[in-house]
Amino acid sequence: MKRYILTGTPGSGKTTILRSLAALGYATVEEAATAVIADEQARGVAEPWTRPSFIDKIVTLQRRRQLRPAITTTPPAVQFFDRSPICTHALSTHIGHPISPALSAEIDRITREQVYDRHVFFVRNLGFCEPTEARRISFEDSLTFERLHEQTYRSFGYQLIEVPASPLPERVAMIRTQVSRL
């Protein structure tokens, strides 16, 4: 199975693209950080990203989701992931947490096992960033985070395929076309 990562800054439309691909029958995996934040906030932790355990919780959920069998309406030849441990590395750096042994081990594993395709879909910002309970980042800070994601993926040897800001159908069609060529 070919596993492709969708990455980019918060609020760039990754999750909307992922859900559109799922509606077309592709196997997809939702973002782990948002789920961890929601779970922690439901437990009364207003800002879970400030806790040292935050990154490892994301890594654990990412690994569990990556290893579970793909559920899809078509043969699972392709699977799309909303973020990856490489994104978690960028997040850890961005929020000032050290790179944990668990995160390092997971990056070593995905590299050694060649879990993800080396071509990554880099979803560019839409010119704004809507805040949510899980996404408390200004547009200006999101642009800094976008650059950090780009640098991090390149430093781990991934090739970025630009997904420019455009209407959702165009973004989805562009991704599907690229996948058919890879």
Side-chain angles (χ1 to χ4, degrees), residues 5 17 23 32 36 47 51 53-54 66 107 151 158 161 174 178:
I5 301 164
I17 292 169
V36 169
E47 296 181 346
R51 295 188 171 191
S53 62
F54 177 64
Q66 185 268 309
I107 290 173
Q151 292 166 356
Y158 288 88
I161 299 171
M174 180 258 176
Q178 288 293 325

Side-chain angles (χ1 to χ4, degrees), residues 4-6 13-30 71-74 78-82 121 123 163 168-179:
Y4 294 100
I5 301 164
L6 301 178
K14 295 175 305 300
T15 301
T16 303
I17 292 169
L18 187 84
R19 290 181 179 153
S20 293
L21 291 165
L24 293 169
Y26 289 97
T28 59
V29 177
E30 298 267 341
I71 299 171
T72 179
T73 57
T74 61
V78 173
Q79 188 174 31
F80 291 98
F81 287 76
D82 188 342
F121 292 99
V123 181
V163 180
L168 177 62
E170 290 177 25
R171 289 175 134 190
V172 172
M174 180 258 176
I175 290 169
R176 293 179 77 197
T177 299
Q178 288 293 325
V179 165

Side-chain angles (χ1 to χ4, degrees), residues 34-96:
T34 301
V36 169
I37 291 169
D39 184 57
E40 291 293 306
Q41 287 177 337
R43 294 171 193 229
V45 180
E47 296 181 346
W49 50 87
T50 63
R51 295 188 171 191
S53 62
F54 177 64
I55 295 298
D56 287 350
K57 287 180 181 183
I58 295 169
V59 171
T60 299
L61 183 55
Q62 284 174 324
R63 181 181 172 107
R64 188 172 49 223
R65 287 179 173 180
Q66 185 268 309
L67 291 172
R68 77 174 173 221
I71 299 171
T72 179
T73 57
T74 61
V78 173
Q79 188 174 31
F80 291 98
F81 287 76
D82 188 342
R83 300 209 180 273
S84 78
I86 305 301
C87 295
T88 307
H89 188 286
L91 174 62
S92 187
T93 301
H94 182 72
I95 61 179

